[in-house]
Amino acid sequence: MGEQIRNFALQLMDEVWVPFDHAAVPRFYHPDMVGHHRAQVLTVDDVVQRLKWDRLNFRDPNYDIQNIIADMNGFAIRFLYSCTLIASGERFTSEVNYFYRLRNGKISEFWLLSDSDFDYKQRP
């Protein structure tokens, strides 16, 4: 089961986050999903809006996955994220840790820890 969840994690990265594809969100996230980033409580719409914002502001995203730990109820993923900021052309890098809980094969809850403080709910 752990290998199946690990593959789900890699698909999530490849199909949603690398291309910033908000249309792929329903395949991976429950509609009633709850996310947590610092003091922010997030909905699936916040994830969709985040991807739209990222697409407008970042290019050349790279997710250098350092660890994935998976079991039958979820997974943790740690990666170094880097991208080019479209506005300035500067390269941005951050270490990111996500902890995901799954229900019926989709994300039902997540917690995000990053060494960069940012507003997850930025809108395009």
Side-chain angles (χ1 to χ4, degrees), residues 33-43 46 121:
M33 182 271 332
V34 176
H36 309 275
H37 173 62
R38 300 187 189 263
Q40 293 181 312
V41 177
L42 308 166
T43 66
D46 294 321
K121 294 185 178 191

Side-chain angles (χ1 to χ4, degrees), residues 4 13 17 38 46 51 67 82-83 92-93 95 108:
Q4 184 179 5
M13 301 307 290
W17 290 102
R38 300 187 189 263
D46 294 321
L51 288 160
N67 300 93
S82 61
C83 66
F92 169 81
T93 303
E95 183 175 355
S108 61

Side-chain angles (χ1 to χ4, degrees), residues 37-113:
H37 173 62
R38 300 187 189 263
Q40 293 181 312
V41 177
L42 308 166
T43 66
V44 73
D45 185 58
D46 294 321
V47 173
V48 167
Q49 295 305 318
R50 178 83 232 172
L51 288 160
K52 289 179 179 180
W53 191 90
D54 287 355
R55 181 177 283 246
L56 294 173
N57 291 280
F58 302 145
R59 72 171 185 262
D60 308 320
N62 182 53
Y63 298 84
D64 182 6
I65 297 172
Q66 304 292 302
N67 300 93
I68 299 176
I69 299 169
D71 68 17
M72 60 192 295
N73 297 314
F75 63 96
I77 185 168
R78 181 175 70 90
F79 55 86
L80 301 176
Y81 173 73
S82 61
C83 66
T84 302
L85 304 176
I86 291 174
S88 67
E90 293 178 52
R91 199 73 181 151
F92 169 81
T93 303
S94 180
E95 183 175 355
V96 181
N97 298 276
Y98 272 94
F99 302 88
Y100 289 99
R101 179 172 292 145
L102 302 177
R103 183 179 78 237
N104 300 325
K106 291 186 178 183
I107 298 164
S108 61
E109 194 167 15
F110 74 81
W111 295 262
L112 165 61
L113 301 171

Side-chain angles (χ1 to χ4, degrees), residues 16 25 70 84:
V16 176
V25 166
T84 302

